[in-house]
Amino acid sequence: MPGFSYMVPVITVVVSMLVLHEQLTKLSALGILLTLAGLVVSEVKITIKKKRALGSSAVK
């Protein structure tokens, strides 16, 4: 799970809402969205690289 460490801020906000009854602010919500967007982009890039590597090794 390479993206788990990127999820720590998201998990922190969610747990603080559940345990400490913190309010979700606009800034926190924006941070969650940006974190998730970055995770998706990085995972897509990794997937594309793996597919290219598999495709090039199958040609050899």
Side-chain angles (χ1 to χ4, degrees):
M1 292 191 324
F4 178 75
S5 61
Y6 297 120
M7 290 297 294
V8 171
V10 175
I11 294 168
T12 302
V13 170
V14 172
V15 170
S16 71
M17 289 172 51
L18 295 173
V19 176
L20 301 174
H21 305 289
E22 293 283 335
Q23 294 291 323
L24 181 66
T25 63
K26 291 179 184 178
L27 192 57
S28 294
L30 178 63
I32 289 172
L33 289 175
L34 289 174
T35 301
L36 293 175
L39 181 62
V40 168
V41 168
S42 68
E43 291 297 318
V44 167
K45 284 184 178 183
I46 290 171
T47 303
I48 290 171
K49 285 182 181 181
K50 284 182 181 178
K51 285 183 180 180
R52 285 184 183 164
L54 288 176
S56 65
S57 64
V59 174
K60 291 181 181 178

